[in-house]
Amino acid sequence: MQSLMKVVLAPRTGSATESERRKKKKEDVLLERSLSSSTRYPSMPRYPLSPLHGEVDVSEIRKANLKVTGMECAACAGSIEKAVKRLPGIEEATVSVLQNRAQVVYRPAFVQEESIREAIEDAGFEAEAIVDDAGQRSGSISRFRIKGMTCTSCSNSIESSLKKLDGVQKAVVALATEECEVRHDAGVISHVQLAAAIDDLGYEAELLIAGEETNRIRLQLEGVTAAADFQLVKEMLVALSGVTSVDLDFSNAMVTVSYEPDRAGPRTFIETIEQAGVFTAKLEAPRGRGSHDRGLEIQHHKKYFLWSLVFTVPVFFLSMVFMYIPGIMEGLEHGRLNGLSIGALLRWILATPVQFVIGRRFYVGAYKALRRGSSNMDVLIAMGTNAAYFYSVYIVLRAATSPTFKGTDFFETSAMLISFIILGKYLEVMAKGKTSEAVAKLMDLAPDKATLLTLDEEGDVAGEREIGAELIQRRDIIKVVPGSKVPTDGVVVWGQSFVNESMITGEARPVPKKLGDKVIGGTMNDHGVIHIRATHVGAETALAQIVRLVEAAQMGKAPVQKYADRISTYFVPAVVVAAFVTWLAWYVGGKARSYPKSWIPAAMDEFELALQFGISVLVIACPCALGLATPTAIMVATGKGATQGILIKGGQALEAAHKVKTVVFDKTGTLTIGKPIVVHTKLLTNIPLHVFYDTIAAAEVNSEHPLGKAIVAYSRKISGEHSSHGQQQHEVRDFEAIPGQGVRAVVDGKATLVGNMRLMKEHGIHISEEAEEHLRDVETLARTGVMVAIERELVGVVSIADPVKPEAARVISILKSMGVRSMMVTGDNWGTAVAIARELGIERPCVHAESLPEDKARIVEEMQAAGTSVAMVGDGINDSPALVAADVGMAIGAGTDIAIEAADIVLMKSNLEDVITGIDLSRKSFFRIWLNYVWALGYNVLGIPIAAGALFPSTGFRLPPWVAGAAMAASSVSVVCSSLWLKRYKRPKVVEEIDTSVQR
């Protein structure tokens, strides 16, 4: 049997004084009143006034996550919990010894996070706030948009340069999104210095997000002209409660405000500034993210391509068409200056702006790359076009100075080459914009406007007004009408309705919402009017966190990408060498008459033929295709997963999922519904039923474990049936949770044990033959038997059933057909575990029962040591070590926050069939990635020899440089389009069938 009380979920001790109980009861009454609507004015609901309105909001609940060091055993965790729970306003305190973490749910009206931290330190341990998923105090995270990158060589050089800077902990550059994320110590290096470092490398960096700007906003001021005006604005803002600092930017008429979100917000600042009646203020326009700012880039490339056509099309006709039309040909050859014709002069004039104005970006990119000792695609293009252009200039100048000189210019080669490459970049940017559409669609879910309710001094609704959704502050009361979107995360404080959450969770059925229920920003209110109290705003909302998670996943690099990065390091130098060798071989071969003179076109000589082959080799090679093969596929796959309710935390998780051969399932809350109920009671002594349950419920009253909650709930039901007795108050002391066994405590002076067989045996409790036989019968029925001993005597057995999820058996069967073995690891007893495994079709050797949290992690590690790639699926805090240890950790979305943070993939709908979808999506994605690599590498392996003239001796086929350039541009576009094919991904039909059957 799983531990009734996990070490990380130890309940509140029972040693509270009567005054503390009265205080807690008073808080509960205040909360109940705060959530009740007015009975006097049904149309005017009443709410407790928030601190922003001058009164403390006792109903607000917050969660603090802290890293705790110095713990050695369960006793340490228990002492920390006791120390924290002595503080007023503590709702729940959970401590994980294995993860060195504490999670505390508290009411900020009575206690602050700093007081919690101090209480832990007073208990003899060290504590600090956790600010990142790894549980470590990290530096700031700044994100930049980087312009000017062309291939993985660029992204790799930026990464390596940033990592060398003092204060930079981590730097990731994503070529596909053209973004850079840097984790750094803001005290050592700021985001301004990072941007300058990127600019020094020859790229343009635009700040998107600065980590040190948490709870900091920038306001654009209007009407502020003099220094005195700025000072007045600063004084007005500094005087506000909750404002920590105000910085003025005179040159841009901006003001930056740092604040405590619980006490102030952007709407308060704007209203305060505008109260003077002279000045106005508005939030700084948000910087572009995802595909939202692709429009300008697309227009930029389109404009350059159209201008290149203006010059290139005439060059093409002058070189390829008019020279073969009688009459026109003579006109172009007429009026020679020595050997220089009008046609050649026109081609020179038209090709020059294409080469130096439209093609300037290639010169700039090549210069910057060479300056830092690297090479990229710009180097290849610049070398190829320069060779064609300047050789043509040489031909023109020789013709102008010699009446007998005859030569062929290649102005059309350089002009058409640049035009086709720009066309390729234009198509590539459009295609890349589509890869991040998922993020854009998620961002668009949030509405622009919200209806804010204003309250009078009594807490009644006095009026309403429309505000921008970005101006919502914590504890605001927002009205949501039918057919409109919920503007932010909150709690329903009045009304009831059905909310469609499919856009966030993927759950198709509308979810009923009533008083006290949570709502998610971006979801659609289908029916009734509801009023919600904002609990999370701005970057704190679930939607914003999902967007950040998807963006972070798209920024991450899959391990498979290291192959492309390694190849790109040597790619460009190798191509340059290959191009030179090609030119030299054809030129020397021609001079040495190694091939017939008839192979040389009439208008060329050996040098010109060799030059064309060399240029073709330079421009057909494409490192971009290699660099885009992995990140574009990951972008599309993670975005598609998010729309399916599956959050994949990066390329590494996506890659690992397709290798999974074994899936380890937790039982309670994962394979089972997680809401167990008491189905039978076996009393072994002469004790009244309600007394029996009153006693064990007293020990379990604050338990967060599902079995403990089931016992407490059933006890309340029994007390209701014996209402004449009432539910007595019991004195509980010396409480201890024993992981994997149960709990023990002294209830009303009597030693009480509630747990499994192991707990009883370790405490010397005699187990009668009748009790053992009853336990066997209970376990045969896939139920959990909870044994109760009072004063060292076994007094009864409680049978608890946790129904198996209807889709569980089908999921296990489908995984087996996919070649994936399923295992079950649980803290429950062996009998129940084996019975449930038999029902689900899991073989007996694949069952591990009575496992502690560390046992689960050890089992996963043992399978990995045997060479098996393992995925762990769980929902509880005690699953977190195994989730971290597994190759892929999958957290059920309805599970605990710690489990979700520890996982690599979050199944938001909490449906088991999404395990199948996650693995299938990973397999499809990596098939697409390898297909991209095969195409990109195969393209270069085949294209370079053809461009070098491998087919010319046998077939006479020669690839002109401008055709080679067009083919090079097409390779990048084809790889991106291949990745975009993942947008068509659909869940396996068997998963759809499971969903349909479950809904029925």
Side-chain angles (χ1 to χ4, degrees):
M1 183 195 70
Q2 229 175 4
S3 166
L4 290 182
M5 290 303 300
K6 305 172 190 174
V7 63
V8 292
L9 287 173
R12 188 191 302 267
T13 62
S15 59
T17 63
E18 187 62 30
S19 61
E20 289 175 333
R21 291 195 189 98
R22 286 197 298 267
K23 184 174 184 179
K24 180 68 171 65
K25 184 175 181 180
K26 181 178 179 181
E27 293 174 19
D28 292 339
V29 170
L30 287 170
L31 174 59
E32 183 178 357
R33 289 178 180 174
S34 71
L35 295 175
S36 64
S37 59
S38 172
T39 56
R40 295 179 299 160
Y41 307 104
S43 61
M44 299 286 283
R46 299 170 60 88
Y47 314 103
L49 297 179
S50 70
L52 292 180
H53 293 93
E55 189 176 316
V56 175
D57 183 6
V58 298
S59 66
E60 185 191 4
I61 294 177
R62 276 196 234 158
K63 186 181 296 180
N65 290 301
L66 302 108
K67 178 189 175 186
V68 182
T69 54
M71 295 188 293
E72 297 180 355
C73 60
C76 298
S79 64
I80 292 174
E81 289 174 356
K82 290 179 183 179
V84 172
K85 288 174 179 177
R86 291 192 187 103
L87 299 173
I90 300 297
E91 292 295 308
E92 178 187 340
T94 61
V95 181
S96 170
V97 178
L98 297 174
Q99 291 188 311
N100 292 325
R101 294 184 65 169
Q103 189 177 85
V104 183
V105 179
Y106 66 100
R107 298 179 188 272
F110 301 98
V111 66
Q112 295 299 317
E113 183 174 337
E114 182 63 21
S115 301
I116 297 171
R117 189 187 63 78
E118 291 175 354
I120 296 175
E121 292 185 345
D122 290 341
F125 305 91
E126 295 183 4
E128 61 177 343
I130 292 175
V131 295
D132 68 356
D133 292 341
Q136 303 292 332
R137 183 173 295 279
S138 65
S140 300
I141 296 180
S142 297
R143 180 176 287 187
F144 304 89
R145 171 83 66 214
I146 300 181
K147 298 179 180 179
M149 293 191 297
T150 57
C151 61
T152 51
S153 176
C154 301
S155 59
N156 290 341
S157 64
I158 296 173
E159 273 189 17
S160 59
S161 298
L162 289 175
K163 289 176 181 178
K164 294 176 183 177
L165 299 176
D166 291 337
V168 173
Q169 302 162 4
K170 182 181 178 182
V172 178
V173 180
L175 176 65
T177 59
E178 297 180 348
E179 291 184 5
C180 170
E181 185 175 278
V182 186
R183 187 187 296 274
H184 60 101
D185 186 344
V188 178
I189 186 169
S190 67
H191 63 82
V192 176
Q193 293 170 309
L194 289 171
I198 296 172
D199 290 340
D200 289 341
L201 292 173
Y203 302 94
E204 182 181 346
E206 174 191 356
L207 180 67
L208 296 179
I209 300 171
E212 58 265 37
E213 292 182 354
T214 303
N215 298 330
R216 179 183 298 182
I217 62 167
R218 286 168 60 86
L219 299 174
Q220 181 70 56
L221 303 176
E222 295 182 7
V224 179
T225 55
D229 296 337
F230 279 100
Q231 189 60 35
L232 177 59
V233 169
K234 181 175 182 178
E235 290 174 358
M236 288 190 293
L237 293 175
V238 169
L240 293 175
S241 174
V243 174
T244 57
S245 68
V246 178
D247 299 317
L248 301 175
D249 182 354
F250 296 94
S251 59
N252 297 312
M254 304 282 288
V255 58
T256 303
V257 186
S258 298
Y259 63 98
E260 299 175 16
D262 293 323
R263 303 170 62 190
R267 191 177 72 255
T268 304
F269 307 145
I270 292 175
E271 290 175 351
T272 300
I273 293 172
E274 294 181 347
Q275 280 177 359
V278 179
F279 314 131
T280 60
K282 62 181 180 180
L283 281 173
E284 181 186 25
R287 299 180 176 94
R289 298 170 68 181
S291 62
H292 282 251
D293 62 346
R294 291 281 185 191
L296 291 176
E297 190 177 2
I298 291 172
Q299 290 299 320
H300 173 79
H301 283 89
K302 182 180 179 180
K303 180 183 72 173
Y304 270 72
F305 173 64
L306 292 177
W307 272 110
S308 70
L309 287 182
V310 171
F311 298 97
T312 302
V313 170
V315 172
F316 172 78
F317 276 94
L318 287 169
S319 301
M320 304 292 186
V321 179
F322 294 157
M323 299 305 294
Y324 301 97
I325 300 177
I328 299 179
M329 179 180 67
E330 288 78 5
L332 293 174
E333 293 294 327
H334 181 71
R336 285 177 173 270
L337 175 59
N338 290 328
L340 177 61
S341 66
I342 294 178
L345 183 61
L346 290 174
R347 288 193 294 271
W348 184 15
I349 294 172
L350 291 169
T352 299
V354 178
Q355 181 72 31
F356 297 107
V357 179
I358 297 172
R360 179 178 179 274
R361 51 169 295 177
F362 302 117
Y363 284 97
V364 173
Y367 167 73
K368 291 176 179 178
L370 295 173
R371 188 185 67 176
R372 60 178 181 271
S374 63
S375 54
N376 59 12
M377 189 189 73
D378 289 334
V379 173
L380 297 179
I381 296 171
M383 290 180 67
T385 57
N386 277 341
Y389 178 83
F390 285 107
Y391 176 74
S392 300
V393 171
Y394 164 75
I395 294 296
V396 168
L397 295 179
R398 280 289 306 274
T401 57
S402 173
T404 60
F405 178 80
K406 290 185 178 182
T408 303
D409 64 78
F410 300 120
F411 286 119
E412 79 283 352
T413 296
S414 64
M416 293 176 67
L417 183 57
I418 289 174
S419 296
F420 274 109
I421 291 172
I422 291 177
L423 172 62
K425 292 298 293 182
Y426 170 55
L427 298 175
E428 180 186 322
V429 170
M430 287 199 298
K432 283 163 63 176
K434 294 182 180 295
T435 62
S436 56
E437 278 185 354
V439 174
K441 289 179 180 178
L442 285 171
M443 294 172 64
D444 289 339
L445 289 178
D448 296 328
K449 301 293 183 180
T451 302
L452 174 69
L453 299 180
T454 55
L455 310 178
D456 60 20
E457 295 180 355
E458 299 296 325
D460 294 328
V461 175
E464 61 183 58
R465 62 190 175 102
E466 188 175 74
I467 62 171
E470 71 278 3
L471 299 179
I472 298 175
Q473 300 176 176
R474 285 185 187 173
R475 295 183 298 280
D476 279 346
I477 305 299
I478 305 297
K479 177 181 177 181
V480 186
V481 299
S484 65
K485 291 182 178 180
V486 178
T488 191
D489 293 1
V491 176
V492 177
V493 293
W494 182 84
Q496 57 185 7
S497 181
F498 284 85
V499 176
N500 186 342
E501 298 182 344
S502 60
M503 59 283 295
I504 302 294
T505 65
E507 176 59 55
R509 291 172 293 182
V511 181
K513 298 294 180 181
K514 60 184 185 303
L515 194 67
D517 287 345
K518 295 180 180 180
V519 291
I520 305 173
T523 56
M524 181 67 72
N525 180 27
D526 282 349
H527 296 292
V529 177
I530 55 174
H531 295 175
I532 66 171
R533 174 184 288 109
T535 56
H536 299 82
V537 297
E540 303 171 341
T541 63
L543 180 59
Q545 292 179 35
I546 291 172
V547 169
R548 281 203 303 273
L549 187 59
V550 175
E551 286 184 330
Q554 294 179 346
M555 283 289 297
K557 290 185 177 181
V560 72
Q561 194 171 341
K562 65 184 179 183
Y563 299 114
D565 292 344
R566 190 177 299 126
I567 291 172
S568 66
T569 303
Y570 309 101
F571 189 89
V572 174
V575 170
V576 172
V577 171
F580 177 77
V581 170
T582 298
W583 170 82
L584 186 64
W586 280 99
Y587 179 66
V588 172
K591 287 294 185 182
R593 296 294 181 262
S594 299
Y595 56 84
K597 192 173 179 64
S598 60
W599 286 10
I600 304 175
M604 295 186 186
D605 57 17
E606 297 88 349
F607 179 86
E608 292 168 346
L609 178 64
L611 182 64
Q612 287 231 342
F613 282 127
I615 294 173
S616 295
V617 171
L618 274 177
V619 298
I620 198 171
C622 183
C624 291
L626 278 172
L628 294 171
T630 298
T632 52
I634 289 176
M635 287 177 66
V636 179
T638 51
K640 189 65 179 180
T643 61
Q644 299 278 352
I646 301 172
L647 295 183
I648 303 171
K649 298 182 179 180
Q652 186 168 354
L654 187 67
E655 178 174 349
H658 90 284
K659 302 176 183 177
V660 167
K661 295 300 180 184
T662 300
V663 176
V664 179
F665 291 95
D666 174 49
K667 180 179 75 68
T668 306
T670 302
L671 290 172
T672 62
I673 292 175
K675 295 181 180 179
I677 56 174
V678 175
V679 294
H680 186 264
T681 307
K682 176 73 172 179
L683 296 178
L684 303 173
T685 61
N686 188 20
I687 180 174
L689 186 64
H690 68 277
V691 174
F692 172 78
Y693 271 104
D694 271 356
T695 302
I696 59 176
E700 296 279 10
V701 68
N702 285 318
S703 171
E704 288 299 319
H705 192 278
L707 299 183
K709 288 184 176 181
I711 291 175
V712 173
Y714 192 74
S715 173
R716 289 172 179 166
K717 178 181 177 182
I718 295 296
S719 297
E721 293 175 355
H722 297 78
S723 56
S724 59
H725 297 279
Q727 193 164 9
Q728 301 177 6
Q729 295 291 329
H730 298 273
E731 180 186 1
V732 182
R733 57 185 175 83
D734 298 335
F735 172 85
E736 183 181 359
I738 305 173
Q741 298 182 29
V743 298
R744 67 182 179 188
V746 177
V747 181
D748 296 332
K750 297 179 180 180
T752 304
L753 296 173
V754 184
N756 58 14
M757 179 76 77
R758 190 196 303 178
L759 178 68
M760 300 300 156
K761 288 184 176 181
E762 289 192 2
H763 286 80
I765 306 299
H766 173 68
I767 310 296
S768 65
E769 184 176 341
E770 178 188 6
E772 289 185 351
E773 183 178 353
H774 179 71
L775 277 175
R776 286 193 293 269
D777 293 339
V778 167
E779 293 171 359
T780 302
L781 297 172
R783 297 173 180 175
T784 300
V786 179
M787 309 176 76
V788 181
I790 300 176
E791 290 292 281
R792 302 188 61 79
E793 180 184 8
L794 188 64
V795 298
V797 179
V798 179
S799 299
I800 301 178
D802 185 7
V804 172
K805 288 183 177 179
E807 72 273 16
R810 183 80 171 119
V811 169
I812 301 297
S813 175
I814 294 170
L815 286 173
K816 185 176 182 180
S817 67
M818 296 170 63
V820 178
R821 180 179 61 160
S822 296
M823 299 184 65
M824 183 173 71
V825 180
T826 176
D828 213 335
N829 61 73
W830 274 101
T832 303
V834 171
I836 289 180
R838 188 185 309 115
E839 182 180 350
L840 295 174
I842 299 177
E843 299 175 357
R844 175 67 174 76
C846 296
V847 179
H848 296 266
E850 300 181 7
S851 301
L852 302 177
E854 56 267 31
D855 294 332
K856 295 182 180 181
R858 177 182 51 78
I859 292 168
V860 169
E861 291 167 354
E862 287 176 354
M863 287 188 289
Q864 290 172 324
T868 302
S869 183
V870 182
M872 173 70 193
V873 184
D875 71 322
I877 295 177
N878 63 336
D879 299 323
S880 299
L883 289 170
V884 173
D887 297 284
V888 182
M890 296 185 178
I892 298 295
T896 64
D897 289 345
I898 291 180
I900 291 174
E901 290 175 8
D904 302 300
I905 298 176
V906 180
L907 311 178
M908 295 177 61
K909 293 186 288 184
S910 301
N911 294 339
L912 277 181
E913 57 265 33
D914 284 341
V915 174
I916 300 172
T917 305
I919 294 175
D920 183 68
L921 176 59
S922 173
R923 291 181 176 182
K924 295 287 197 309
S925 301
F926 266 78
F927 170 77
R928 187 61 53 179
I929 287 173
W930 284 116
L931 191 65
N932 289 349
Y933 275 132
V934 168
W935 168 254
L937 287 171
Y939 172 88
N940 286 293
V941 169
L942 294 175
I944 291 177
I946 292 174
L951 300 178
F952 188 67
S954 59
T955 65
F957 176 77
R958 179 169 56 88
L959 195 67
W962 64 270
V963 175
M968 184 272 286
S971 67
S972 296
V973 178
S974 62
V975 165
V976 177
C977 291
S978 172
S979 297
L980 285 173
W981 192 260
L982 285 171
K983 293 182 67 176
R984 301 167 61 90
Y985 173 82
K986 293 182 179 180
R987 297 191 299 172
K989 289 184 179 180
V990 288
V991 174
E992 299 289 349
E993 292 171 1
I994 292 176
D995 275 353
T996 303
S997 62
V998 170
Q999 289 177 9
R1000 288 177 181 173

